[in-house]
Amino acid sequence: DAKTTQPPSMDCAEGRAANLPCNHSTISGNEYVYWYRQIHSQGPQYIIHGLKNNETNEMASLIITEDRKSSTLILPHATLRDTAVYYCIVRLSGGSNYKLTFGKGTLLTVNP
Amino acid sequence: GAVVSQHPSRVICKSGTSVKIECRSLDFQATTMFWYRQFPKQSLMLMATSNEGSKATYEQGVEKDKFLINHASLTLSTLTVTSAHPEDSSFYICSATDSLSNQPQHFGDGTRLSIL
C-alpha cells in the first residue's frame, strides 16, 4: 500500500471548517483513500473514503486532487467533539478484507 | 451504521493469566475480522487477520501461540492472550468487515489490558 504523509497536529476554532491534508504521492490507480479518526481511548471511527471523485457524507467531505497525489478531509463545522487523531490511509480496492495500515495521523484539536 | 462490540472494555489481571477478548458484529456478517494492538502514544499495529472458518494470518513478529484467534462464526471472533505478562499490557482493538458487501472496516471500542 502507498504511504501517506500528514501533519502531526492542527488546531481549529469551534464552528469553523477543519481542513486536514494528506499527501499520497505514490498512490496507484486501484488504491482508495480512506479516512478514520480515533478519539482518545476509543476504537477508530470510519469517516469517508474515495477513489478519484470528491465524496461527501453526513460527517465530512473528501476532496481528491486530479492527479490523486493528495487529498483533503473537510469537517465543515468543527465541534469540540471532533478533537481526535485523524488517519489518512491508502488501501487497495477490491475486497474489503484488505488490511489497513495506520500511520501516525494528525491530532486535530478543536478549540472553543 | 455498522456496529462492532468488544468485550470486556478493561481487564486487570495477574501475570501468567490467560485473557479472552470478544469481538462481535451486531448488525452485519463479519466475513473478516482484524485484531490490532496500540501502545501508549503510538499508532495501531495490525496483529492478525481472520476469516470466518479459517486459521488466522498473523503479522510478522506476532506469536501465534501466544495470541490465539478464533473466528468460528460470522458474528464473533475471540483473541486469547495466553500466559500474559506485563509487556502484553496494551490497548487491543478489533475491526470487522463484510467483504461480500465491500463495506469499510468498522472498529470496536477496544479493550485495555493491564497485566500486573
Side-chain angles (χ1 to χ4, degrees), chain A residues 27-68:
Chain A
I27 192 170
S28 62
N30 60 350
E31 287 182 314
Y32 283 72
V33 180
Y34 281 78
W35 283 84
Y36 283 80
R37 72 180 182 184
Q38 186 178 25
I39 296 169
H40 183 61
S41 295
Q42 296 182 22
Q45 177 188 23
Y46 166 78
I47 302 173
I48 199 167
H49 74 282
L51 182 62
K52 54 184 177 181
N53 296 323
N54 297 338
E55 301 289 343
T56 296
N57 62 20
E58 65 278 3
M59 288 183 70
S61 294
L62 174 60
I63 308 299
I64 302 174
T65 58
E66 194 168 337
D67 63 7
R68 302 211 318 124

Side-chain angles (χ1 to χ4, degrees), chain A residues 32 34 36 38 40-46 49 87 91 93-105, chain B residues 32 34 36 38 42-44 46 49 51 59 91 93 97-100 102-110 112:
Chain A
Y32 283 72
Y34 281 78
Y36 283 80
Q38 186 178 25
H40 183 61
S41 295
Q42 296 182 22
Q45 177 188 23
Y46 166 78
H49 74 282
Y87 297 99
R91 202 208 71 186
S93 64
S96 55
N97 56 348
Y98 284 106
K99 61 184 181 183
L100 296 170
T101 301
F102 286 80
K104 296 184 178 179
Chain B
T32 306
F34 302 84
Y36 296 81
Q38 185 175 33
Q42 294 186 23
S43 191
L44 284 78
L46 180 67
T49 302
N51 292 298
E59 295 297 300
F91 191 48
I93 310 167
T97 186
D98 177 6
S99 56
L100 297 179
N102 203 28
Q103 65 169 267
Q105 289 182 35
H106 292 278
F107 288 78
D109 270 340
R112 186 152 312 275

Side-chain angles (χ1 to χ4, degrees), chain B residues 6-115:
Chain B
Q6 198 171 330
H7 178 79
S9 59
R10 185 174 180 96
V11 180
I12 301 173
C13 57
K14 294 181 179 179
S15 184
T17 307
S18 292
V19 178
K20 180 185 283 189
I21 302 169
E22 292 187 349
C23 181
R24 294 181 185 272
S25 59
L26 299 186
D27 54 358
F28 66 99
Q29 293 186 325
T31 53
T32 306
M33 286 185 167
F34 302 84
W35 288 95
Y36 296 81
R37 181 167 52 181
Q38 185 175 33
F39 291 107
K41 298 191 178 181
Q42 294 186 23
S43 191
L44 284 78
M45 295 296 295
L46 180 67
M47 299 174 67
T49 302
S50 75
N51 292 298
E52 186 264 338
S54 304
K55 286 186 178 180
T57 302
Y58 289 81
E59 295 297 300
Q60 193 172 10
V62 178
E63 299 175 57
K64 62 179 181 180
D65 294 329
K66 181 168 184 62
F67 299 100
L68 302 179
I69 293 172
N70 183 281
H71 189 171
S73 79
L74 284 171
T75 59
L76 173 65
S77 176
T78 60
L79 168 68
T80 301
V81 184
T82 61
S83 187
H85 292 287
E87 58 266 28
D88 298 321
S89 298
S90 188
F91 191 48
Y92 291 85
I93 310 167
C94 72
S95 72
T97 186
D98 177 6
S99 56
L100 297 179
S101 69
N102 203 28
Q103 65 169 267
Q105 289 182 35
H106 292 278
F107 288 78
D109 270 340
T111 296
R112 186 152 312 275
L113 176 62
S114 300
I115 308 298

